[in-house]
Amino acid sequence: MTAPIQARVAQRRWATPSVLELVLDAGETALPEAAPGAHIDVTLGDGTVRQYSLVDPAPEGGHRYRIGVKVLPDGRGGSRRLAEELALDSPVRLGGPRNLFALDSPGSRPIVLVAGGIGITPIHAMATRLRRTPGAQWTLHYTFSRREEAYFPSPWLLDDARVCLYESLAEGQGRRLDLAALVQAAEASGGADIYCCGPTALMDALARLCEGRPSLRCVQESFEAPDLSPDGSETAFDVQLSRSGRTLRVAADRSILETLREAGVDVPFSCEQGICGACETRVLAGTPVHRDAILSPGEQAAGRSMMICCSRAATPSLTLDL
Ligand code: FES
């Protein structure tokens, strides 16, 4: 991860009644390249860190990132506070970027992009890149509840023939995205890479439909924190740190991350909710109980790494590469 970057709010507009679009300008500082699908950390005044996907496939002019923030009146902390704190010209600290949702180089395989609601932000970055890639075969399916609440980061979303819009709650003429038909068509055409970002229900349904269809590759990113309410794995266990040789006891009411920090062990972290990937740590022995929203079911089953901010242990001890 790169060092924090000081920026300021160069542009601010309500793109819809609930989506605040911000352009964050680092001035003379060249921002790190960010491939489509990347997100950045935004640190608020009280130290709260939130992750937001970049709307564009690269920093504009090399020094500006654009984000679109869904602001809910009763939203989980950050977004409402961000909207209140980040006035035009306000300073803001940025981290990253990181990319857990990378678009593979467009090759011979068709690409199907699926966005639900604010999930359009990384999907827009991907589509922008694909529009500029000669020969890329792609379509974008963007579903939202009502047109007036849908975020359109670029005007071409409204008139590019490769973009299909679905307004599920439109009065009298609602058009719903038929995921089963989309998956069948992708399979019938010889296969595709499907990238999806949106509500959990949309992504779960798509993942289920893609199961058992080897010609389809389904790549997803979640904006929703996993359910971290008690699940029965909250018992004490040991973590052995292979590099220092230390052993720490993780109490039933503490996370591994909290335990390490309290013991003075310096480890990277950001969201503390299992959605950013900053705290991913290699597991050398023992079996984790995964509670994050990042690792795929296959990666979780392999147990080679874990998010130490939220995941726990199924064995009396875990050995970590720390
Ligand atoms: Fe974000 Fe652990 S700190 S996944």
Side-chain angles (χ1 to χ4, degrees), residues 269-272 274-279 294 307 309:
F269 69 98
S270 176
C271 72
E272 297 185 74
I275 55 173
C276 76
C279 69
I294 296 168
M307 302 303 148
C309 65

Side-chain angles (χ1 to χ4, degrees), residues 125-155:
M126 291 179 175
T128 305
R129 171 62 48 84
L130 292 168
R131 272 168 61 91
R132 296 172 186 164
T133 305
Q137 303 172 58
W138 63 277
T139 52
L140 163 53
H141 300 265
Y142 179 19
T143 178
F144 43 81
S145 50
R146 291 187 180 80
R147 181 69 157 249
E148 59 272 24
E149 291 164 15
Y151 175 36
F152 293 99
S154 292

